[in-house]
């Protein structure tokens, strides 16, 4: 549980440092690093997505996820929450607040590490993956803080709440998290990370948060449909 808190704190601290040191980092340098991170994320996402052994399930998961997510307007609701946070934090003049909050939140919670990290910590006592994620998240939060400002800071709270929920539910989920589920869930998550990377490089403007429910489909498929 301590590792989860450290993960959230690393993101918040990285974002704060980015905001503080923003003037010391030229904008063109920050954007170049930001694009480079997006490129690396794309490579990582492709490597993860091709691990799937059921390409049809991956396609259906993404399609079902984005269809339901669009109907529920998940990203729009996140943006509304971001606007509410911006007002509460007296950052009304910060036009980048919502973009930073929504993009970084999705980027740091849809990946397989955000799920497998807390599960490994809860069931195996292994926090290695969470500490690795903390390092990556801290660096990306620093870049977001430098580029977009204080909107990246409250993402640390989002991570703590999300990962603590996974941690608490791990004992209940463990019978469902078979190797097949984990592999396909990771593949679906990596497709979403690829979408984030494309957005970061300015190639697309996908509403990635709308895709997140697609990660539930492999769990349902392997634990209900396959059994029949």
């Amino acid at each position: 549980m301590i590792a989860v808190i450290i993960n959230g704190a690393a993101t918040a601290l990285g974002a704060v440092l980015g905001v503080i040191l923003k003037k010391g980092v030229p904008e063109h340098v920050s954007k170049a690093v930001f694009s480079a991170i997006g490129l690396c994320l794309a490579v990582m996402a492709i490597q993860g997505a091709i691990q799937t052994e059921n390409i049809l399930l991956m396609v259906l998961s993404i399609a079902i996820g984005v269809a339901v997510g669009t109907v529920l307007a998940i990203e729009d609701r996140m943006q509304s929450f971001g606007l509410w946070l911006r007002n509460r934090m007296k950052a009304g003049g910060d036009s980048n607040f919502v973009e930073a909050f929504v993009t970084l939140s999705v980027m740091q919670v849809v990946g397989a590490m955000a799920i497998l990290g807390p599960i490994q910590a809860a069931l195996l006592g292994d926090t290695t993956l969470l500490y690795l994620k903390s390092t990556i998240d801290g660096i990306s939060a620093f870049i977001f803080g430098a580029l977009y400002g204080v909107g990246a800071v409250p993402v640390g709270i989002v991570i703590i709440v999300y990962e603590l929920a996974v941690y608490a539910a791990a004992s209940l989920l463990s019978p469902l998290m078979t190797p097949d589920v984990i592999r396909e869930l990771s593949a679906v998550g990596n497709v979403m990370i690829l979408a984030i990377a494309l957005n970061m490089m300015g190639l697309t403007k996908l509403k990635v948060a709308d895709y997140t429910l697609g990660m539930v489909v492999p769990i349902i498929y392997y634990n209900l449909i396959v059994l029949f």
Side-chain angles (χ1 to χ4, degrees), residues 5 9 11 19 32 50-51 58 74 91 173 182 186 210 212 221 225:
I5 296 174
T11 292
V19 172
I50 63 176
Q51 298 302 313
M58 185 175 73
I74 294 176
L173 289 175
I182 294 174
S186 176
D210 288 346
T212 52
Y221 177 79
I225 299 175

Side-chain angles (χ1 to χ4, degrees), residues 48-227:
I50 63 176
Q51 298 302 313
T52 181
E53 294 183 7
N54 192 333
I55 187 68
L56 180 59
L57 175 61
M58 185 175 73
V59 172
L60 287 174
S61 297
I62 294 295
I64 292 172
V66 72
V68 177
T70 300
V71 171
L72 296 177
I74 294 176
E75 177 138 336
D76 291 341
R77 294 177 189 276
M78 286 187 69
Q79 289 182 349
S80 296
F81 180 61
L83 287 170
W84 177 82
L85 270 181
R86 184 180 71 178
N87 294 332
R88 295 289 294 181
M89 295 179 68
K90 311 299 183 184
D94 187 354
S95 61
N96 291 319
F97 186 100
V98 176
E99 182 178 358
F101 174 75
V102 174
T103 303
L104 190 60
S105 292
V106 174
M107 187 173 76
Q108 296 195 356
V109 302
V110 302
M113 286 192 293
I115 296 175
L116 299 181
I119 289 177
Q120 286 185 353
L123 301 182
L124 305 176
D126 184 358
T127 57
T128 304
L129 195 57
L130 276 176
Y131 287 131
L132 173 61
K133 183 176 183 296
S134 298
T135 302
I136 296 173
D137 288 354
I139 294 172
S140 60
F142 175 85
I143 298 299
F144 267 80
L147 280 175
Y148 297 115
V150 296
V153 177
V155 175
I157 299 175
V158 174
I159 291 173
I160 291 175
V161 172
Y162 177 84
E163 291 184 352
L164 281 179
V166 175
Y167 184 95
S171 59
L172 297 176
L173 289 175
S174 58
L176 305 179
M177 301 301 288
T178 65
D180 286 333
V181 172
I182 294 174
R183 182 190 64 248
E184 299 306 325
L185 187 150
S186 176
V188 172
N190 276 291
V191 172
M192 297 178 200
I193 292 177
L194 177 59
I196 291 172
L198 294 175
N199 285 350
M200 290 174 66
M201 291 185 285
L203 301 177
T204 58
K205 292 184 179 180
L206 299 170
K207 293 186 175 182
V208 185
D210 288 346
Y211 290 66
T212 52
L213 290 179
M215 298 182 73
V216 177
V217 177
I219 300 175
I220 295 174
Y221 177 79
Y222 281 107
N223 288 284
L224 290 179
I225 299 175
V226 169
L227 295 180

